[in-house]
Amino acid sequence: MSDKQPSNWQKAIEGEWHGCPSLFESDGTWVGTNKVNRASEFKDGRTTYWMETRFDATGPLMDRFEIGARMEFGVVDSDQDRIYTGPDFIGSGRPYGLLVDSNYYSPGWNVNLRTVNHVVPELGMQVYSSQLFEGDTIVGVFNGLYIVTQDHESNPATQQQVSDWLEKEKMDGKKPFNLSVKHEGVYRGEFEVYDANQQLVGTNKVTITHRPINLLHSEQTIELEGVVNHKWTAMRTRNGNTQQFHGPDMFGNGKSYGRYLYSIRHVYGEPLKLWSRETVVDEDNTLVCAWQLIESQKEKYTLFGVLRFEAGENVLAPTYVDRG
């Protein structure tokens, strides 16, 4: 028997996770779903990760990803690095409290993955995504929301809860990423802040003031107060599932895959950029965000949390022309 103890991240993900992430082609086209149950299990000083998948998709990605076998691979578990030792995945993950940012390779799928898993206890879910690459070229995306169980095999009520969740995910996974289209308002929340050494250094109050200009344009001001203090305003445009940020303070672009938007914004006049994954998780415009501030091409801070929307005036109410 080993006296080795599981990492904090391993403790945070104890149990069996259930989800039905959507599968998207590189251009953002939704092509199907993947029913998944998975767990990371610590026993006798060793960690084993297993995953059972059942794809239901169309096109060549179905043949690529449905390999017809249970995935099961070793993990070197720690709070500094989680190293995946194969055979199904080879690479590592970097934990920050309740979020892990992983980069690894799947020989069976022939893709390199950037996977971000964020456990959100206040919402009772894990927000998951994998961007799939050949080299630097994106070839697809998986993303979706998971719930965890401890008694799925034996409890009919839990089984029904999971079944209901999976059905809802099948419907919601293809919804497009849209912020409030007609109502101005404020997104508010508190993010945990981790430094480049993965140490929790405090929290940040995050406020995003949002005002639609028309159905495709909005003005947003992001304000960070706390460990990190910044304020940026930019005009944001949407064209299908692509977005752009036009300054004056931030310039960049993003691409959405269903409910998830991945973007990079450069701060004008500074060696600073913001990488973000933002996910709309309900009908109330609640956003779950994972942000990384990169300074001089190096990781500076990783921030993540929940933003809840406080709706204001409908600034795109019906317009009329009165003719005598």
Side-chain angles (χ1 to χ4, degrees), residues 83-270:
I83 303 171
Y84 313 128
T85 57
D88 300 286
F89 296 112
I90 298 162
S92 63
R94 188 166 163 83
Y96 305 84
L98 292 178
L99 181 144
V100 67
D101 187 356
S102 301
N103 189 245
Y104 52 95
Y105 176 66
S106 165
W109 291 342
N110 185 28
V111 291
N112 199 69
L113 298 92
R114 182 179 184 177
T115 296
V116 178
N117 277 320
H118 177 190
V119 177
V120 191
E122 67 183 275
L123 299 177
M125 65 177 65
Q126 182 184 111
V127 182
Y128 156 85
S129 71
S130 286
Q131 295 165 287
L132 315 170
F133 296 89
E134 291 178 352
D136 287 339
T137 302
I138 196 162
V139 296
V141 169
F142 303 148
N143 60 45
L145 310 177
Y146 282 74
I147 55 173
V148 66
T149 67
Q150 308 297 333
D151 59 354
H152 182 258
E153 288 190 4
S154 60
N155 189 332
T158 301
Q159 294 167 8
Q160 186 61 53
Q161 177 194 14
V162 169
S163 179
D164 292 345
W165 179 266
L166 297 179
E167 286 303 310
K168 186 174 186 301
E169 277 295 285
K170 288 179 183 178
M171 296 296 295
D172 291 349
K174 64 182 75 172
K175 289 183 177 179
F177 180 95
N178 282 316
L179 300 183
S180 178
V181 176
K182 293 188 175 184
H183 284 80
E184 67 178 3
V186 180
Y187 292 85
R188 299 186 196 274
E190 187 173 86
F191 288 8
E192 289 189 348
V193 182
Y194 288 78
D195 65 15
N197 297 315
Q198 298 161 268
Q199 298 301 305
L200 177 63
V201 292
T203 60
N204 249 93
K205 178 183 176 183
V206 179
T207 305
I208 301 179
T209 303
H210 172 81
R211 183 176 176 82
I213 299 169
N214 55 44
L215 295 175
L216 298 176
H217 297 73
S218 62
E219 183 184 79
Q220 291 187 337
T221 298
I222 300 173
E223 187 166 7
L224 306 178
E225 300 173 276
V227 174
V228 186
N229 293 280
H230 289 287
K231 187 174 182 179
W232 304 299
T233 296
M235 185 177 74
R236 184 173 187 151
T237 65
R238 178 177 62 85
N239 182 8
N241 70 322
T242 62
Q243 300 204 9
Q244 285 184 283
F245 305 90
H246 297 278
D249 300 323
M250 303 186 98
F251 292 82
N253 59 16
K255 199 173 192 72
S256 61
Y257 295 81
R259 298 165 291 178
Y260 288 63
L261 175 71
Y262 308 83
S263 63
I264 296 176
R265 285 166 269 191
H266 300 263
V267 178
Y268 182 73
E270 299 182 41

